Amino acid sequence: CFLSLQKREISNFDYLMYLNTLAGRSYNDYMQYPVFPWVLADYHSETLNLTNPHTFRDLSKPMGAQTVERKHKFMQRFNEVEKNLAAQCHYCTHYSSAIIVASYLVRMEPFTQTFCSLQGGSFDVADRMFHSVKSTWESASRDNMSDVRELIPEFFYLPEFLTNANHFELGCMQDGTVLGDVQLPPWADGDPHKFILLHRQALESDYVSAHLHHWIDLIFGYKQHGSAAVEAVNTYHPYLYGDKMDLNNIKDPLIKSTILGFISNFGQIPKQV
């Protein structure tokens, strides 16, 4: 399959779906939903230049290390965590979880009801809802130390999830903005179909094709855990490494329940492939 990718016989999208399947990710499990990368860093330009390397996200680094300042903060957390917490890691949250998936797809059923169920029966505070691609990128790559989310496959083929066609009352933000359709980058001209078209072109671009293997190493490969993960600033709470923990050998029901609850709330690292 990798040779087919190198020869451009399959698309980057198809290859990522293949890896997700091998790693145990499935559309049938919100806690192990397929994970896709942010590929762009430009959500402000009027036109999208896919020949400019600065248009793209650094695929060799996890979301927590996209800026030097943020990377150093997470490294500092890793080095100091032994003094305060039981588990040494860079991130206590994850890049893919049930709530992240449901928040992206909240404008479509059955994800609307799933999201409300995970939120205790109602929508979240409007300012925390997924409402803007640009704002979500800035939060996950720069601004929010508890947000290192990646994307889901729908960002590359499903324009419908970006519109509030069902006219759900999602609330009003503090600045007075009423939540409706997702706010798109200027280069999409307010058109979800154009956003998906250009976003898919970005995924299949020469730049991403040449650098995608770095991201695969972080999510599915050898930089997933161990010394390589520490060096890459890519370690997560031990409870999130589900395939590394033998729950059958944990006799204390309280500990087992805590681990399962942690995974349910914060997500799970894919199986290494």
Side-chain angles (χ1 to χ4, degrees):
C1 188
F2 180 69
L3 290 176
S4 296
L5 180 69
Q6 286 184 319
K7 296 177 181 178
R8 298 296 181 92
E9 293 176 353
I10 65 171
S11 66
N12 290 336
F13 181 92
D14 288 339
Y15 187 63
L16 288 172
M17 285 303 302
Y18 176 74
L19 287 176
N20 271 282
T21 302
L22 282 180
R25 314 297 284 192
S26 168
Y27 283 117
N28 298 320
D29 188 347
Y30 292 160
M31 290 183 288
Q32 297 195 74
Y33 207 78
V35 56
F36 268 58
W38 288 93
V39 294
L40 295 174
D42 183 354
Y43 298 97
H44 57 271
S45 296
E46 294 295 329
T47 57
L48 192 61
N49 183 357
L50 297 181
T51 64
N52 183 357
H54 296 292
T55 297
F56 298 91
R57 165 256 182 104
D58 188 341
L59 288 161
S60 69
K61 296 180 174 64
M63 290 303 292
Q66 289 298 303
T67 69
V68 174
E69 180 182 6
R70 196 169 191 233
K71 176 183 176 181
H72 286 162
K73 287 181 179 179
F74 281 119
M75 291 173 64
Q76 184 178 16
R77 171 189 286 179
F78 181 89
N79 292 329
E80 294 180 351
V81 75
E82 286 183 313
K83 305 173 185 176
N84 307 306
L85 301 173
Q88 188 175 34
C89 59
H90 295 106
Y91 317 112
C92 291
T93 55
H94 194 229
Y95 48 77
S96 177
S97 66
I99 193 65
I100 289 173
V101 172
S103 69
Y104 280 144
L105 301 173
V106 68
R107 290 163 177 80
M108 297 176 59
E109 291 287 16
F111 303 99
T112 310
Q113 294 304 315
T114 299
F115 181 83
C116 290
S117 177
L118 292 170
Q119 283 294 128
S122 63
F123 292 119
D124 197 1
V125 175
D127 287 83
R128 292 200 296 260
M129 295 279 286
F130 173 52
H131 66 278
S132 162
V133 178
K134 178 176 180 288
S135 295
T136 303
W137 160 255
E138 291 173 347
S139 172
S141 67
R142 187 187 71 195
D143 297 338
N144 188 344
M145 289 292 286
S146 62
D147 183 4
V148 291
R149 78 186 73 181
E150 292 279 6
L151 300 182
I152 55 177
E154 285 82 352
F155 273 85
F156 301 94
Y157 70 83
L158 189 69
E160 287 79 10
F161 88 96
L162 298 166
T163 63
N164 187 22
N166 292 313
H167 305 292
F168 292 119
E169 294 184 3
L170 302 174
C172 183
M173 298 175 64
Q174 290 185 355
D175 63 4
T177 301
V178 177
L179 262 61
D181 296 345
V182 175
Q183 296 174 13
L184 302 175
W187 44 260
D189 295 327
D191 183 349
H193 290 83
K194 184 174 181 179
F195 171 83
I196 294 295
L197 174 65
L198 292 176
H199 205 215
R200 183 65 173 265
Q201 288 178 0
L203 178 64
E204 305 298 341
S205 67
D206 290 341
Y207 180 90
V208 171
S209 296
H211 295 85
L212 187 58
H213 65 285
H214 295 303
W215 183 83
I216 291 171
D217 288 339
L218 293 169
I219 306 301
F220 301 106
Y222 79 103
K223 292 184 179 179
Q224 202 184 67
H225 58 83
S227 59
V230 174
E231 185 177 347
V233 193
N234 192 45
T235 65
Y236 298 82
H237 194 284
Y239 287 174
L240 301 181
Y241 294 85
D243 63 331
K244 302 299 177 185
M245 305 191 67
D246 189 355
L247 293 176
N248 293 325
N249 287 330
I250 299 176
K251 304 304 180 183
D252 190 325
L254 181 59
I255 295 177
K256 182 179 292 187
S257 176
T258 299
I259 294 173
L260 290 173
F262 203 93
I263 292 172
S264 176
N265 285 322
F266 297 108
Q268 189 171 356
I269 301 291
K271 294 178 182 177
Q272 192 174 32
V273 297

